[in-house]
Amino acid sequence: MANITSVKAIQILDSRGLPTVSCRVETDDGLSAVSKVPSGASTGEREALELRDGGNEYLGKGVLKAVKNINTKLADVLIGMDARNQFEIDQALIDLDGTPSKKNLGANAILAASIATLRLGAKSAKLPLYEHVNNIKPNLKDPIMWATHLMR
């Protein structure tokens, strides 16, 4: 089996010393995978939005709100799903947020959970990551199409 049993996130510091999100996902077959999502450097009007805490800690750049969203809302959706079904996982996360900019849950939260499950799906399928990505959805093999799908 490859059913997701645990989704946990924490705030870490990236290579620039800025807070960012790390997410660990585990399955019922004893496998786990981790993602670490660095903060974005560009902030164009069409970019997906990182969820930041505001306030004084880390000059307002903390990501504890995004971490909480992963540990609660995203975990509630992901637990029980098959980690090998990345298309369905990503669609569930997109639907849960409900906005083109990912402003409700934070693009940083969604991306961290998505990447961790993608890596976990590859492990569960006993495939290199690139082969797993290639097998996800035949009409989304093109990386640009995949990125476009994720940013809907």
Side-chain angles (χ1 to χ4, degrees):
M1 299 297 277
N3 292 328
I4 296 170
T5 57
S6 175
V7 179
K8 304 278 186 208
I10 59 171
Q11 176 175 271
I12 62 171
L13 299 180
D14 68 14
S15 61
R16 295 175 290 171
L18 297 174
T20 192
V21 180
S22 177
C23 180
R24 178 183 182 93
V25 180
E26 299 175 352
T27 60
D28 56 2
D29 56 4
L31 298 175
S32 67
V34 175
S35 68
K36 298 169 185 152
V37 180
S39 60
S42 61
T43 54
E45 67 180 49
R46 295 183 188 258
E47 302 228 10
L49 299 175
E50 292 179 312
L51 185 59
R52 296 287 181 172
D53 297 339
N56 295 325
E57 190 170 317
Y58 293 109
L59 302 174
K61 295 186 181 260
V63 293
L64 294 177
K65 289 178 184 177
V67 165
K68 181 178 180 184
N69 283 342
I70 293 171
N71 291 334
T72 57
K73 297 173 185 176
L74 276 67
D76 287 347
V77 168
L78 293 175
I79 290 174
M81 293 186 81
D82 188 328
R84 297 168 296 188
N85 292 335
Q86 189 68 34
F87 185 81
E88 290 81 7
I89 287 168
D90 285 343
Q91 193 61 57
L93 297 177
I94 289 166
D95 292 345
L96 182 63
D97 181 86
T99 67
S101 65
K102 312 300 176 268
K103 68 180 182 181
N104 288 334
L105 300 171
N108 46 352
I110 293 170
L111 188 58
S114 176
I115 291 172
T117 57
L118 180 67
R119 289 179 173 163
L120 187 54
K123 279 185 177 182
S124 292
K126 296 181 174 64
L127 292 172
L129 184 59
Y130 71 91
E131 281 188 36
H132 179 60
V133 169
N134 192 50
N135 293 336
I136 289 172
K137 191 82 169 170
N139 65 340
L140 292 177
K141 286 182 182 178
D142 179 58
I144 294 172
M145 290 300 295
W146 181 252
T148 302
H149 164 73
L150 290 177
M151 299 318 295
R152 284 193 296 137

